[in-house]
Amino acid sequence: MEQETILLHNNQSSAGHNCFNFPGWVSNVPQLPFVFLQLQMLVVFCINQLLHRFLFRHIGMPPLVSQLFAGLALGYTGFGRYEIFRHVLFPPENSLVIRSIILFWYTLVLFVISAQTDFTIIRRTGKKTIVIGLLSLFSALIANMVALQFLTLNDNIKGDVRMAVFNLPATAFPNLVWLANDIGLVNSELGRLALASGIFMEIASILLTMAINNIVPNLENRPKLLQAIVNMSGTAAVLIIVILILRPFMHHLIRLTPKDRPIKDSYLLFVFVTMLLGALSTDYFGQFVFLGAFMVGSALPDGPPLGAALVDKLDTFVCGMLLPFFVTSAAMKIDVSSINFKGPLVYDLMLLILVTFVTKLLVCFACGVFNKMARRDALALALILNTKGFLDIGTVTWLQDLKGISMECCTVLAFYVIVMAAFVPVVVKLLYDPLRKYAGYQIRDVTHLKSNVSLKLVACVFRSDDVPCITNVLEFLSPARNIPVAAYIIHLVKLVGRCQPLFISHDMQKRRSLHHSYSEEVIWHFDRLQYCSNGAVSTHIFTALAKVDAMHEYICTLALDKVVSLIVLPFHRKFSIEGFTEIDDHERRLLNLSVLARSPCSVAILVDRSHVNGRRANESTTRPNPITTVAQTDEEPSVSMAVIFIGGKDDREALAFARRMSRGMRVKLDVVQLATCDDGQEFMHSLDAIAINKFLHETRFEDGNINHQVLYVEIPVKDGIETVAKLRSMVHEYDLIIVGRRFNQHCPQTAGLEESCEIKELGILGDFLASPDLKCRTSILVVQQQQHWM
């Protein structure tokens, strides 16, 4: 009997520690919060992916919408209504542990987002963003307070309505960052304006929230009011320590790190521990626990090496895995059955939501129109600054957990967040097209540029080995003081460890005050080129830190703002000294394609093979590479170039660019026209014949004598096979060959070559001439004339 009692007691005690109250092997799983956490994360991840991949992605919804609806499906609105489902997957005895873990994750998410954000934009933005950000917040707040006077509130709903009055006008900056990334507006003018305005709105919102939560409720209680002032002073002291002590110390850690070396793990551990201390300090002073983490993250120097390394270690796990779980877990707490549609709270909240939305919409729209934005763009800006997101869903459910608002109020506000999260991205995509600003309404190409007008161009630099080939192009242009070349050099740096892009004009900076520059070597080389040209070349250098898929925004915007005629892009392949392909950068190729499709002016892709050890026939082995150093002499041409001309606007653009290069005595230029036997009277009266005649006329000397350094040759060919043979025989005779892209143009000279064209952005001839099979050191310049695509 005693033995049976002991066995019964053991069975009962072990049953209390089972994960599931089911018979069989399941009863042997220990009831641990971590086991439930793994199971919950697995279920949430699967449902999120199913909803997004098979439903919401196809209708243009961001992943946030899938996460919110997954929470509705798993929560009290969906399967969570059934007790057996909650008992198996979300047992109440584990809710406290899971809630603590989620709060810690929430702190990590805000820390990572703040670490990615460039808060120095506050110093660089103009008054426009300050006005838009503050007006959108305070106008909606004032409108809500006015509407509050017309509402009849009883004691049961008074707290909920007042909380909504101050909660609804704010638009959290992390939500703006998430929305801009989801719909691809980070690098657009609209996205930059919205993010800059959002920073000021976020700062004002935090200060206002602290004042309302600490000062307003304790105005009539002097001891509590003093304590609230002490708490706010303590929080301000934490912020001062972060700005004046912590941030300079982090810069010191960066200076201790050798250039181009990874940051030490001990430094990253220090930053992480500091984040935890910051969170504890703000919690000690009665503020949100994640406020301290957000402040430490904002003080972290963005970009490499410290910010980039920390974000690389945390971003994928925190924002890719933990954030969706947090959003879904928060949405699970929404309970539609708690809404009393006949009660006054629903109608009061709906009125406040309508007042907030309409007020912010009208104010932001008016600010945009006043600042000369297009009406569609101003409306898109107003919708973006009205958006709600993961931070809002977390806030309302967190307030409900603390009994700050009722479940009914939480549910209504949460559904407003869901509607805005689903509605705003779709409408903004319909309203705002970032490509529209590149519409080719004006003629911006070299062909229509007057011969006595300075040539403006944008040249892109990715790596240090791109600098020599760009300087060679500027030297090939043989500029004179009376007709100089204005070169806008943009150094493109891949964005790592930041949410916001960065655009630096080095003409606007005092360079001696820079502690670190992403473009020191680039600046030095082009400053030297400008100095040595004696005024014939003026260089203006910029640095753009952006994601690769958005770099074309900076290139095209700079070309548009500076009214340039040509953009020069380095080829995405780099050749070794033996002539083989050494680097094949797929991201750079996609960028080149994006610029070709969107450019507001002409585009040239430069294939640099000047360092290849190929030799031309009858060439002395002691002759220096003319691409590397252009001799400053008028006695003998030091550069040999050719233009391959078939016909079409791209070939005419290439011919016009070559005409600019032929002005100097250092350049020997051959114009090679590949003609067929059928070219006759029709060609003589065509635009191509007019362009060639104009070229030959303008390349004569001022006294009318023929310039013997410019040679026009007509070579008859029948088909693509003969074209390839002619090009193969002449490719080793030149330092640079210029061709037109001639995209999707068909003619007898290239017949049969379309199928073998591997690199479409170079066109048929450019693709053949850039082939590593030629083993030559001839550089190729492929030109596309401005596309009037709108």
Side-chain angles (χ1 to χ4, degrees):
M1 182 68 181
E2 183 178 355
Q3 185 178 2
E4 292 177 358
T5 303
I6 294 174
L7 291 174
L8 179 62
H9 174 74
N10 291 337
N11 291 336
Q12 290 174 346
S13 62
S14 63
H17 295 281
N18 289 341
C19 183
F20 308 109
N21 291 326
F22 292 116
W25 64 272
V26 180
S27 61
N28 296 322
V29 180
Q31 185 175 359
L32 296 175
F34 185 68
V35 175
F36 279 100
L37 179 63
Q38 294 180 82
L39 182 61
Q40 291 164 8
M41 291 183 68
L42 179 62
V43 173
V44 167
F45 177 79
C46 293
I47 294 180
N48 279 336
Q49 293 299 313
L50 288 174
L51 289 176
H52 182 65
R53 292 182 180 275
F54 295 101
L55 180 59
F56 292 107
R57 185 178 66 174
H58 298 288
I59 56 178
M61 299 290 183
L64 178 64
V65 179
S66 305
Q67 298 159 14
L68 292 171
F69 274 91
L72 293 178
L74 295 173
Y76 293 102
T77 305
F79 294 105
R81 292 177 297 176
Y82 304 105
E83 183 178 355
I84 186 172
F85 179 83
R86 295 198 306 270
H87 183 74
V88 171
L89 193 59
F90 302 98
E93 57 268 19
N94 288 283
S95 60
L96 182 60
V97 177
I98 301 300
R99 190 181 306 169
S100 301
I101 295 175
I102 291 177
L103 182 60
F104 176 68
W105 288 350
Y106 189 39
T107 305
L108 278 180
V109 169
L110 293 181
F111 170 69
V112 171
I113 292 177
S114 62
Q116 292 176 315
T117 305
D118 178 25
F119 285 93
T120 59
I121 194 175
I122 296 175
R123 301 196 306 264
R124 301 194 306 271
T125 51
K127 296 180 180 179
K128 176 170 63 175
T129 56
I130 302 176
V131 171
I132 293 176
L134 297 183
L135 270 182
S136 63
L137 175 65
F138 288 104
S139 61
L141 181 60
I142 294 172
N144 278 351
M145 295 179 69
V146 172
L148 187 63
Q149 306 304 316
F150 296 93
L151 300 178
T152 302
L153 306 177
N154 56 47
D155 294 335
N156 295 330
I157 66 172
K158 185 179 297 185
D160 291 341
V161 174
R162 288 181 176 175
M163 183 63 69
V165 166
F166 296 103
N167 179 268
L168 287 172
T171 299
F173 178 74
N175 293 335
L176 293 177
V177 174
W178 222 255
L179 175 64
N181 279 320
D182 282 338
I183 60 180
L185 292 180
V186 175
N187 288 89
S188 65
E189 291 184 356
L190 178 64
R192 289 193 290 267
L193 179 61
L195 291 177
S197 303
I199 288 180
F200 292 103
M201 191 189 308
E202 178 77 0
I203 295 173
S205 177
I206 291 175
L207 296 176
L208 184 64
T209 302
M210 291 176 61
I212 292 174
N213 291 342
N214 293 274
I215 303 298
V216 176
N218 302 314
L219 288 176
E220 299 178 357
N221 191 326
R222 185 177 179 81
K224 290 186 176 181
L225 180 60
L226 292 176
Q227 183 62 41
I229 294 175
V230 170
N231 289 339
M232 293 187 65
S233 301
T235 306
V238 173
L239 179 61
I240 293 173
I241 292 173
V242 167
I243 295 176
L244 299 183
I245 298 178
L246 181 60
R247 183 173 176 83
F249 183 72
M250 290 180 179
H251 279 288
H252 177 68
L253 296 181
I254 294 175
R255 287 193 293 270
L256 292 177
T257 304
K259 187 177 180 181
D260 299 328
R261 295 294 298 276
I263 198 81
K264 291 183 179 179
D265 289 341
S266 58
Y267 297 168
L268 300 179
L269 182 61
F270 167 77
V271 174
F272 190 80
V273 172
T274 305
M275 180 271 294
L276 296 178
L277 292 176
L280 290 175
S281 62
T282 53
D283 182 63
Y284 176 79
F285 289 115
Q287 308 304 324
F288 299 129
V289 66
F290 43 78
L291 181 59
F294 189 82
M295 289 191 297
V296 173
S298 63
L300 186 69
D302 50 274
L306 185 57
L310 189 66
V311 171
D312 283 344
K313 290 182 179 295
L314 295 177
D315 185 57
T316 301
F317 179 66
V318 172
C319 296
M321 188 70 183
L322 301 188
L323 182 60
F325 182 75
F326 162 74
V327 173
T328 302
S329 300
M332 286 171 56
K333 301 175 183 179
I334 301 173
D335 187 6
V336 178
S337 61
S338 64
I339 300 179
N340 181 11
F341 291 96
K342 296 182 180 180
L345 179 60
V346 175
Y347 298 100
D348 291 344
L349 292 178
M350 293 299 294
L351 176 62
L352 291 175
I353 289 172
L354 183 62
V355 169
T356 301
F357 179 78
V358 173
T359 302
K360 292 187 70 175
L361 192 72
L362 293 178
V363 169
C364 295
F365 178 78
C367 289
V369 173
F370 180 77
N371 286 284
K372 299 180 180 180
M373 293 178 63
R375 293 185 178 181
R376 290 168 62 94
D377 298 349
L379 182 58
L381 174 66
L383 287 173
I384 291 174
L385 294 180
N386 254 303
T387 191
K388 297 291 182 179
F390 74 93
L391 201 63
D392 301 286
I393 200 75
T395 299
V396 296
T397 55
W398 183 69
L399 289 174
Q400 198 279 324
D401 287 339
L402 297 178
K403 307 302 180 183
I405 57 176
S406 65
M407 176 56 75
E408 183 179 8
C409 178
C410 172
T411 303
V412 174
L413 295 180
F415 268 103
Y416 173 59
V417 173
I418 294 174
V419 171
M420 294 300 292
F423 168 75
V424 170
V426 176
V427 179
V428 170
K429 285 181 180 180
L430 294 175
L431 287 175
Y432 181 74
D433 181 9
L435 303 183
R436 192 171 59 250
K437 62 183 178 181
Y438 304 134
Y441 297 128
Q442 297 179 344
I443 298 177
R444 299 182 180 184
D445 56 31
V446 184
T447 301
H448 295 88
L449 192 66
K450 294 182 179 179
S451 58
N452 59 348
V453 175
S454 173
L455 174 64
K456 295 182 179 180
L457 61 86
V458 169
C460 302
V461 174
F462 295 89
R463 299 186 299 263
S464 58
D465 53 4
D466 293 330
V467 174
C469 64
I470 298 298
T471 56
N472 290 334
V473 170
L474 297 178
E475 289 178 340
F476 287 168
L477 286 171
S478 304
R481 289 185 182 181
N482 59 334
I483 312 177
V485 171
Y488 298 93
I489 312 299
I490 179 169
H491 184 206
L492 300 164
V493 182
K494 186 176 181 180
L495 186 66
V496 180
R498 301 172 62 104
C499 271
Q500 284 181 277
L502 182 63
F503 188 73
I504 304 170
S505 173
H506 296 286
D507 289 343
M508 304 295 292
Q509 291 184 327
K510 296 179 180 179
R511 295 180 187 172
R512 66 182 62 181
S513 65
L514 289 176
H515 297 291
H516 173 73
S517 174
Y518 294 97
S519 310
E520 291 177 355
E521 185 178 355
V522 175
I523 294 171
W524 184 87
H525 277 94
F526 285 101
D527 278 352
R528 182 175 178 272
L529 173 65
Q530 177 173 303
Y531 175 78
C532 295
S533 67
N534 296 322
V537 177
S538 63
T539 58
H540 310 273
I541 306 164
F542 303 84
T543 298
L545 285 90
K547 295 181 178 179
V548 177
D549 58 358
M551 284 180 177
H552 63 272
E553 290 281 348
Y554 282 117
I555 300 172
C556 296
T557 300
L558 182 62
L560 190 70
D561 293 341
K562 301 303 180 181
V563 198
V564 305
S565 301
L566 184 70
I567 296 174
V568 180
L569 300 168
F571 189 46
H572 69 274
R573 288 180 178 174
K574 178 184 176 182
F575 296 95
S576 65
I577 195 170
E578 294 83 10
F580 299 103
T581 301
E582 186 177 56
I583 298 176
D584 194 342
D585 193 338
H586 181 67
E587 289 183 335
R588 188 193 289 198
R589 182 184 184 186
L590 294 179
L591 172 63
N592 290 350
L593 288 170
S594 298
V595 175
L596 285 170
R598 297 164 171 82
S599 172
C601 61
S602 298
V603 182
I605 297 180
L606 178 61
V607 183
D608 179 39
R609 290 193 296 206
S610 56
H611 60 282
V612 177
N613 276 336
R615 296 292 176 185
R616 292 196 291 271
N618 302 322
E619 180 183 12
S620 172
T621 57
T622 60
R623 178 180 176 181
N625 189 344
I627 302 293
T628 304
T629 304
V630 179
Q632 302 293 331
T633 177
D634 294 339
E635 296 181 359
E636 181 182 351
S638 59
V639 178
S640 178
M641 295 188 298
V643 178
I644 308 300
F645 190 92
I646 295 179
K649 63 178 183 178
D650 290 347
D651 281 11
R652 294 194 293 271
E653 184 75 1
L655 191 64
F657 187 72
R659 184 177 71 240
R660 290 265 172 176
M661 292 184 170
S662 65
R663 289 175 174 173
M665 299 297 293
R666 297 174 292 155
V667 177
K668 180 180 183 299
L669 176 63
D670 292 347
V671 178
V672 181
Q673 181 186 358
L674 301 179
T676 63
C677 299
D678 297 332
D679 293 339
Q681 293 297 325
E682 183 179 352
F683 175 80
M684 296 299 297
H685 299 284
S686 66
L687 294 176
D688 297 331
I690 296 174
I692 291 178
N693 292 331
K694 180 181 179 182
F695 169 81
L696 295 176
H697 175 74
E698 292 186 355
T699 53
R700 291 176 177 268
F701 293 117
E702 294 181 358
D703 57 4
N705 294 327
I706 297 175
N707 184 357
H708 294 286
Q709 293 181 194
V710 177
L711 178 65
Y712 171 72
V713 180
E714 182 176 324
I715 299 178
V717 293
K718 295 180 180 179
D719 52 23
I721 297 177
E722 287 196 7
T723 298
V724 168
K726 295 295 183 182
L727 293 179
R728 191 183 296 275
S729 64
M730 71 172 64
V731 69
H732 295 281
E733 300 177 7
Y734 300 99
D735 300 309
L736 177 68
I737 295 180
I738 307 174
V739 297
R741 186 189 179 200
R742 307 184 74 255
F743 184 62
N744 282 339
Q745 293 187 20
H746 305 283
C747 63
Q749 294 93 320
T750 58
L753 301 179
E754 293 86 353
E755 295 79 7
S756 60
C757 182
E758 177 187 358
I759 305 173
K760 303 297 183 182
E761 59 268 31
L762 296 183
I764 296 176
L765 298 185
D767 175 73
F768 170 74
L769 293 171
S771 172
D773 298 335
L774 293 179
K775 298 293 188 302
C776 65
R777 68 175 186 180
T778 304
S779 298
I780 311 299
L781 189 70
V782 180
V783 181
Q784 172 186 278
Q785 195 180 48
Q786 177 190 14
Q787 305 293 299
H788 299 274
W789 48 272
M790 290 192 66

